[in-house]
Amino acid sequence: MTKRQLGFVFIALGVLAAAGMFLMDLVGAGQFQGIGPAQRLALIGAGVVIFVGLTLLPFGDNPA
Amino acid sequence: MSGKWQVGKLASGKSASGELAGWQVVLPRVLIGLALLAFVGYFIVYVIYAWHLFQFPFDYDQGEGFELMDTVLFSQGQWPYRDNDVYPFYSSNYPPLFHIFTVPLVWLFGPQYWTGRLVSFLGTLVTAVAITYAVRKDAEGRVGDAERRREKKEKKTSAISASLRFIPGKRPWLSLIVGLGFLASNYVYHVGPLFRQHMFMVMFETLAVVWLARTIDQEEAAGQRNNRALLVVMILLLFAGYTKQLAYATVAAVFIFLFLRQPKRAVLWAVPFAAVTGLIFLWINAATDGFWFLNTVTANVNPFVPGQFEGLFRQWFRLHTLFIVVAAGFAAYQLYFERLSVYSIWFVVAALNSVTAGKWGAGESYFATAVAASLILTGLALNRLLDWAERMSFIPVDVSGIGIPDTRPVKRFGISKSRNIPFLSTHLKRTHWQFALQTIIPLLLLWQAGKLFHMPTHTPTLAAIATALGQPTEVMIAPQTSCSAPRDPEPIPYVDSAGVSLLGRPPSKADTAAGIAITKLIARGKTAAFAEDAGFNFYLGRDVVTNPTQLLNLYNNNAVDLTEMLAMLDGQAFDTVVLRAQFYPPEVLNAIGQRYETTDLVQMNGFVYCIMTPRSVE
């Protein structure tokens, strides 16, 4: 696997995690109306993962 | 201490340290000696603590006696995964392997606490050796690689300058310090010599990861796969998982690493690994009529306490700052500029998984895996940093006795440039840089040693050492009460930078006497005690009744029927009840309060035990 591919994996995981957080709201899970504290933390985490993924893209075909 | 330059067969090179002034060589060595002394000191303290624990015949940490009970049941060919609804209301919530490893000692010596404590303690020593081995082998591997590269180059050219190659240092002191660093961690010290399975899991995890790293390195060097070695890794992972469920994080880290390097092979190994793990799970579940699943899965669904996690996370960082910062930095470096090693992935996954320390019933030991991973990365990173500094410092002023200057091209930002530099001034700057790192690294290790400070001070020698190090010799701690009135703080001969800790203080003769006093109170009755600790009934050779935290976990998950237990308490079927932390479900505590009254209070290991006997029934 290359750094670029790893970057895409990170981005996909981050997007999925963020989408999952919003999906939880749709199905009514959690104790809070809107975005709760745990969801906010998870969303920040997902954002960090996406950011790391983006920064890996320029490293191209170097092995991961 | 350092790496060296070799100049092929034509001339001998000067070691990097040979360019430093005498005091610049001596000072780092003195500092390294001091750092080694500090970590060896922690090891001695660890052995003292373990030795005292081996001699203590009762529960030191809540739950130890139940792990002994599991071992006893296995030694009798019985499963400890049982029906909690019926007498003796006992079941285990842990996988079996640690207890199975301890069974031979129980066969030989009976149900003794020291058996499992010794096995766990030895497990931590194995882990420390594995950490040392990992760092040592990495250094040796880089030495070998450098020598192979040099020989290859020499075959191609006879030029002296082409044969100049830096040979990295092995630095046994560094591998030793990181290995001892594991035993010096406050968390490992607290839990390592207890009859708990956690550190045995960490041992299998560490062995699996270190063996995997070696296997992949050797495979890549030889260009040939070694499936037998990978099978050993899988067996070690299986052992880790069947020692404690928490090992799933290391399993994930191993397969993530394999997937990055060899995706197809990772999948091919993941399928049988999952199948074997699942089949063992199903077999135990069938053999225990489903009580395996109930007690190891359902009973482990506990509420998450964010404050508990935050406090432990902050403490972990405060105590292990250098190891964490270096490990995180090296992992980030590998993420962008090298291939990710299994150690980096393991560290990140273990650190993320430490969030489970916030579960009710979890604790500091949940960080032990991350501590082990961070230590290996610290060793690797510091070795490379020192190699880099020494490589930078070298200028071959007298390569062959004919005054050949260093004309090798330098690479900056990927562009080769001629090394047309002012010779002496640059050399001086670089040797200063080398000296700085060789001084700063042992200083940082000493600073880290200070952050981990923990020491029993129950002997004059240990108290004198603590005083000489500027530490207090006693800490005022109030005994922990739950079923009795609060008590005033009292001096405890144990100092720990982790803060007020109920673990770490070697149990004293007074603690043993207190335990025996409790057993004498129980012995006035004829039945087994309904006790939160198993040790008293073990001492008297009576049934071990209840596993309170397990009952509470099941109660909180609506998975236990307390009818029979409540009826027995209501009928005062037990002559004695012993409470320590009141971990029983509220209904059980209520029944005890209705039918029993406190007659004696006995303090042991900083806890006040309430000994209760039946109230007179009107």
Side-chain angles (χ1 to χ4, degrees):
Chain A
M1 184 175 272
T2 66
K3 296 282 186 198
R4 184 187 290 120
Q5 288 169 335
L6 185 62
F8 283 125
V9 169
F10 271 55
I11 292 166
L13 286 175
V15 169
L16 277 173
M21 289 299 109
F22 288 113
L23 202 65
M24 279 175 66
D25 268 356
L26 285 177
V27 298
Q31 304 169 345
F32 295 88
Q33 290 281 334
I35 296 174
Q39 274 177 304
R40 192 166 58 237
L41 272 176
L43 278 173
I44 292 169
V48 171
V49 171
I50 293 169
F51 175 76
V52 171
L54 288 170
T55 60
L56 279 170
L57 296 182
F59 289 85
D61 291 336
N62 291 338
Chain B
M1 185 185 84
S2 61
K4 60 183 179 180
W5 286 85
Q6 289 191 358
V7 197
K9 298 167 186 170
L10 298 172
S12 61
K14 269 193 159 182
S15 84
S17 58
E19 297 299 319
L20 298 168
W23 69 274
Q24 288 179 311
V25 176
V26 170
L27 182 61
R29 287 181 180 172
V30 169
L31 292 173
I32 287 167
L34 287 173
L36 265 172
L37 188 67
F39 283 95
V40 168
Y42 279 126
F43 178 61
I44 293 168
V45 163
Y46 185 52
V47 172
I48 291 171
Y49 173 53
W51 179 247
H52 280 81
L53 277 171
F54 294 160
Q55 297 170 75
F56 184 62
F58 300 103
D59 288 69
Y60 180 76
D61 182 35
Q62 200 277 333
E64 277 191 292
F66 303 122
E67 302 229 23
L68 175 57
M69 183 62 194
D70 297 346
T71 311
V72 169
L73 289 169
F74 277 119
S75 75
Q76 296 166 350
Q78 299 178 51
W79 292 105
Y81 315 109
R82 298 166 160 250
D83 186 354
N84 293 272
D85 300 350
V86 297
Y87 183 87
F89 315 111
Y90 179 83
S91 182
S92 170
N93 64 328
Y94 292 125
L97 216 60
F98 170 66
H99 313 110
I100 289 172
F101 269 84
T102 312
V103 159
L105 289 174
V106 169
W107 279 336
L108 287 170
F109 302 102
Q112 303 290 330
Y113 277 77
W114 65 261
T115 54
R117 287 173 181 160
L118 178 66
V119 171
S120 178
F121 174 74
L122 292 176
T124 60
L125 299 190
V126 171
T127 308
V129 170
I131 291 168
T132 300
Y133 174 87
V135 176
R136 174 81 176 164
K137 278 291 164 188
D138 180 76
E140 284 179 3
R142 285 182 303 112
V143 171
D145 289 346
E147 283 174 344
R148 275 191 294 277
R149 280 198 302 273
R150 179 173 61 80
E151 283 167 12
K152 202 173 170 185
K153 197 98 180 182
E154 279 174 7
K155 284 178 185 169
K156 288 183 179 174
T157 174
S158 60
I160 293 169
S161 61
S163 72
L164 283 168
R165 280 291 176 271
F166 178 75
I167 304 300
K170 293 179 185 171
R171 299 186 192 87
W173 62 269
L174 186 56
S175 358
L176 192 60
I177 282 180
V178 291
L180 289 171
F182 180 72
L183 304 176
S185 164
N186 307 61
Y187 299 163
V188 177
Y189 169 83
H190 291 160
V191 185
L194 297 181
F195 201 134
R196 307 307 302 259
Q197 82 297 89
H198 194 101
M199 301 312 296
F200 211 59
M201 173 200 72
V202 177
M203 177 192 77
F204 283 128
E205 289 178 313
T206 308
L207 290 174
V209 172
V210 171
W211 196 249
L212 176 67
R214 291 293 301 150
T215 301
I216 298 296
D217 280 354
Q218 286 171 347
E219 284 184 350
E220 289 180 352
Q224 192 177 330
R225 287 188 176 175
N226 183 351
N227 284 326
R228 202 171 288 179
L230 200 55
L231 180 64
V232 173
V233 173
M234 297 299 147
I235 291 170
L236 288 167
L237 285 178
L238 198 66
F239 279 13
Y242 277 99
T243 301
K244 194 170 182 181
Q245 302 94 319
L246 201 66
Y248 65 81
T250 296
V251 174
V254 162
F255 279 101
I256 290 170
F257 170 75
L258 271 178
F259 190 79
L260 288 181
R261 293 285 174 105
Q262 303 160 359
K264 189 179 167 189
R265 195 182 187 198
V267 174
L268 285 175
W269 277 90
V271 172
F273 179 81
V276 170
T277 307
L279 283 173
I280 293 172
F281 189 96
L282 292 173
W283 167 62
I284 300 177
N285 203 45
T288 59
D289 295 328
F291 287 118
W292 159 257
F293 185 87
L294 177 78
N295 287 293
T296 62
V297 179
T298 309
N300 275 308
V301 181
N302 293 328
F304 185 76
V305 188
Q308 177 178 316
F309 167 68
E310 191 185 333
L312 284 170
F313 192 86
R314 284 176 188 275
Q315 186 191 61
W316 171 59
F317 188 80
R318 178 170 56 80
L319 293 174
H320 305 86
T321 313
L322 176 71
F323 300 146
I324 295 168
V325 168
V326 173
F330 191 53
Y333 172 80
Q334 287 195 325
L335 178 65
Y336 290 103
F337 305 111
E338 276 187 6
R339 286 197 301 176
L340 279 166
S341 68
V342 66
Y343 300 124
S344 289
I345 295 168
W346 187 37
F347 170 69
V348 172
V349 174
L352 290 174
N353 190 50
S354 63
V355 73
T356 52
K359 274 197 326 173
W360 185 88
E364 61 184 27
S365 61
Y366 281 49
F367 287 90
T369 304
V371 169
S374 69
L375 280 159
I376 294 178
L377 282 176
T378 298
L380 304 187
L382 294 184
N383 242 335
R384 291 192 191 192
L385 204 57
L386 285 165
D387 278 348
W388 171 80
E390 287 170 15
R391 190 166 53 238
M392 289 292 287
S393 72
F394 179 76
I395 290 180
V397 288
D398 187 15
V399 167
S400 60
I402 53 173
I404 296 174
D406 184 9
T407 55
R408 291 169 297 145
V410 287
K411 262 196 168 184
R412 290 220 173 89
F413 307 109
I415 301 163
S416 285
K417 289 173 66 179
S418 170
R419 193 190 290 267
N420 186 16
I421 47 178
F423 194 79
L424 189 60
S425 62
T426 306
H427 171 61
L428 283 174
K429 280 177 194 166
R430 286 177 170 184
T431 51
H432 284 166
W433 185 234
Q434 176 199 4
F435 168 69
L437 271 182
Q438 286 186 343
T439 307
I440 288 168
I441 286 175
L443 275 174
L444 283 171
L445 289 167
L446 274 168
W447 172 73
Q448 175 59 74
K451 289 183 84 69
L452 295 169
F453 189 81
H454 53 270
M455 178 187 272
T457 52
H458 60 294
T459 69
T461 308
L462 290 170
I465 293 171
T467 305
L469 293 170
Q471 299 285 342
T473 55
E474 288 176 339
V475 175
M476 299 297 287
I477 301 177
Q480 196 166 92
T481 55
S482 72
C483 46
S484 60
R487 294 188 175 186
D488 291 333
E490 54 188 46
I492 300 297
Y494 174 67
V495 186
D496 194 326
S497 57
V500 174
S501 175
L502 295 166
L503 299 176
R505 178 179 64 95
S508 64
K509 286 179 181 171
D511 293 317
T512 303
I516 292 170
I518 293 172
T519 62
K520 283 181 178 168
L521 292 170
I522 295 170
R524 291 189 304 198
K526 290 179 180 170
T527 70
F530 191 93
E532 280 193 90
D533 283 6
F536 311 120
N537 284 323
F538 266 127
Y539 196 85
L540 292 168
R542 296 182 180 178
D543 291 348
V544 170
V545 183
T546 75
N547 180 347
T549 52
Q550 179 73 348
L551 289 169
L552 183 57
N553 292 344
L554 290 167
Y555 177 82
N556 288 333
N557 287 293
N558 295 316
V560 65
D561 180 357
L562 299 173
T563 308
E564 184 179 328
M565 189 190 305
L566 294 174
M568 287 184 78
L569 288 168
D570 195 49
Q572 298 178 327
F574 302 98
D575 292 337
T576 320
V577 171
V578 181
L579 296 181
R580 172 165 117 160
Q582 301 200 70
F583 278 140
Y584 286 114
E587 287 178 39
V588 176
L589 292 173
N590 187 40
I592 291 170
Q594 295 288 327
R595 293 297 179 187
Y596 291 83
E597 61 188 355
T598 303
T599 54
D600 296 273
L601 298 175
V602 180
Q603 186 176 325
M604 183 178 85
N605 291 329
F607 288 89
V608 178
Y609 286 76
C610 298
I611 293 66
M612 308 174 82
T613 54
R615 290 180 190 275
S616 53
V617 180
E618 294 167 8

